[in-house]
Amino acid sequence: MRTAVVVGAGVAGLAAAGALARGGWQVTLLEAEDRVRADRTALVLWPNGVRALHSLGLGDGLEAIATPLRDRGVRRPDGHRIVQPRALTGDRAPVVVHREDLHDALIAGLGDRVEIRTGVRVTRAEPGERPSVSDGRFTYAADLVVAADGIDSAVRRRVAPEATVVSSGCAAWRAVIPWYRAPQLPDDALGGEVLGAGYRFVAASLGDPGASGGAPRGGIYWIATAAGAARPEPPATQLALLRRWLASWPSPVGELLGATGPEDLIQQDVRELRPLPRSYGFPGGDGGVVLIGDAAHAMPHHLGQGACLAFEDAATLSVLTATAKPGEQLRTAVESYSRLRLPRATTIVRQTRRMSAVLGARGRLALRARDAALGAITPRLLGSAASAAAQWRPPV
């Protein structure tokens, strides 16, 4: 029986554990928290993420929970439109999903070959003769160790210490306003973004209020980004700050912030890996260690590619290990995984950093230059990212 240990039960770890189990592996899934759960926000899945989930056998479940994302262009805080809406159709169209709905779909796909152990905070990893991880009390060894333990990955610190966690220079706030509290907005109010001096606001619809009937996981999803560090104040104070900072911004910013409660708000200190790990696969023993998700390529959220790349990682690993036997075949699969994933992640991270530079413009001259060029720069960057997303296919 082929065995795997997956460290971390976020979307990357759940996707990888389920994929390996469906391929005949016996999987132990380790989670540091006391239970496996998702936060109450949402995420955008671009076509590469959608395609990866279909490759993982989760496409039917995704179609039941996903809402197409409408692009309404980009405006300045004074309401002036600097990027016109784009028509995203077919295999270039992104979707929005509630994280709890996606989490449920991933949990349902685990099957009976996955043993979940919570309250296990991995602190050490050994990729040597028998790949293993340990929390200081117990050691978990297997043919394959999958590090999906996020940006602060203890496994990555052992196998790729050169990758350093740094601040991206901004913080983000996310919330989902359920339909029963959502403001009444015109049909064309959602799906666009407003871009100011160090600030950004994006909003999207999660389903149809008429169809969902006020279901708790439907509603309006928004994300606000501000230059600077995360705020130490309680959520109510953070929300008051957002309302003050964005008080003069055009609709629907004020309406959505006004309908948001402190209990809805989730803050994120945006961080990234610089440099990226030198490799994503480390052969050892009869298999080795691989890095997936934020443990491999944590990046700012500006292009919405974090979860998408994580699902690509899981889909690629599933294909490469489908028939690999422990020993030379599995070690080769680990090497092949890195050879395929590292260039792909490097390209997307580079595009995200370019967008970070555009979004982080501050000062009168910098803003004037940005606004003058944004109509050309942003579509080109987004078009390049969308093209890369649309072109990805799981390995054969």
Side-chain angles (χ1 to χ4, degrees):
M1 173 68 70
R2 299 180 297 173
T3 59
V5 170
V6 178
V7 185
V11 294
L14 290 172
L20 290 170
R22 289 189 293 275
W25 291 72
Q26 187 64 43
V27 181
T28 302
L29 177 60
L30 307 178
E31 169 56 35
E33 301 299 326
D34 59 353
R35 61 190 179 97
V36 178
R37 55 188 165 186
D39 64 40
R40 304 179 311 279
T41 62
L43 55 82
V44 175
L45 293 177
W46 287 80
N48 53 319
V50 173
R51 190 172 294 116
L53 286 172
H54 277 274
S55 173
L56 291 166
L58 301 172
D60 291 341
L62 178 63
E63 291 178 0
I65 61 176
T67 303
L69 178 67
R70 294 174 293 181
D71 185 340
R72 301 300 186 186
V74 182
R75 293 177 292 165
R76 291 194 311 227
D78 62 6
H80 177 74
R81 191 175 299 280
I82 49 180
V83 177
Q84 295 299 317
R86 297 175 302 149
L88 299 174
T89 59
D91 66 356
R92 296 175 67 89
V95 298
V96 189
V97 296
H98 198 290
R99 283 181 176 267
E100 290 181 326
D101 287 334
L102 181 60
H103 176 267
D104 288 351
L106 293 171
I107 288 288
L110 291 179
D112 58 4
R113 289 180 177 268
V114 178
E115 178 189 5
I116 302 176
R117 299 192 180 185
T118 58
V120 179
R121 188 172 297 277
V122 168
T123 56
R124 296 198 302 271
E126 293 298 333
E129 293 185 4
R130 178 71 167 160
S132 65
V133 296
S134 171
D135 65 350
R137 299 173 300 164
F138 303 101
T139 297
Y140 303 87
D143 301 314
L144 180 68
V145 170
V146 180
D149 47 344
I151 189 170
D152 295 311
S153 170
V155 180
R156 188 194 63 245
R157 288 199 299 269
R158 170 65 177 85
V159 298
E162 71 281 359
T164 304
V165 179
V166 301
S167 172
S168 298
C170 63
W173 291 264
R174 305 170 191 264
V176 172
I177 307 170
W179 283 126
Y180 71 89
R181 283 198 282 114
Q184 295 293 322
L185 298 170
D187 290 341
D188 61 353
L190 301 175
E193 67 178 89
V194 186
L195 186 61
Y199 298 94
R200 183 190 190 195
F201 191 94
V202 181
S205 173
L206 281 167
D208 181 348
S212 65
R217 292 184 184 177
I220 298 175
Y221 168 59
W222 64 258
I223 175 171
T225 307
R231 303 295 303 194
E233 298 90 350
T237 305
Q238 296 173 27
L239 185 56
L241 286 171
L242 286 170
R243 290 169 178 166
R244 188 179 73 193
W245 292 338
L246 309 181
S248 62
W249 283 35
S251 179
V253 177
E255 295 96 317
L256 294 179
L257 290 177
T260 302
E263 69 280 3
D264 302 320
L265 198 65
I266 295 179
Q267 181 183 210
Q268 175 190 4
D269 185 12
V270 183
R271 299 178 295 158
E272 60 189 279
L273 292 179
R274 283 180 181 260
L276 293 177
R278 70 185 186 279
S279 176
Y280 288 161
F282 304 87
D286 285 335
V289 176
V290 297
L291 306 178
I292 71 172
D294 282 350
H297 39 64
M299 71 189 84
H301 57 277
H302 305 314
L303 293 180
Q305 282 294 316
C308 295
L309 285 189
F311 294 138
E312 286 186 25
D313 294 340
T316 301
L317 184 65
S318 174
V319 171
L320 294 176
T321 60
T323 60
K325 297 178 181 178
E328 186 61 31
Q329 288 184 0
L330 187 53
R331 289 192 296 270
T332 299
V334 169
E335 293 175 336
S336 298
Y337 171 81
S338 181
R339 189 169 61 251
L340 288 173
R341 296 308 300 156
L342 187 56
R344 167 70 173 167
T346 300
T347 297
I348 300 299
V349 168
R350 184 183 302 119
Q351 292 172 337
T352 300
R353 289 174 180 168
R354 291 176 63 199
M355 182 59 75
S356 294
V358 173
L359 298 176
R362 305 183 75 178
R364 181 177 299 177
L365 292 178
L367 285 170
R368 186 176 298 171
R370 183 203 66 186
D371 287 353
L374 196 60
I377 292 175
T378 301
R380 188 162 64 245
L381 281 177
L382 292 177
S384 179
S387 177
Q391 292 171 3
W392 182 83
R393 296 290 189 281
V396 178

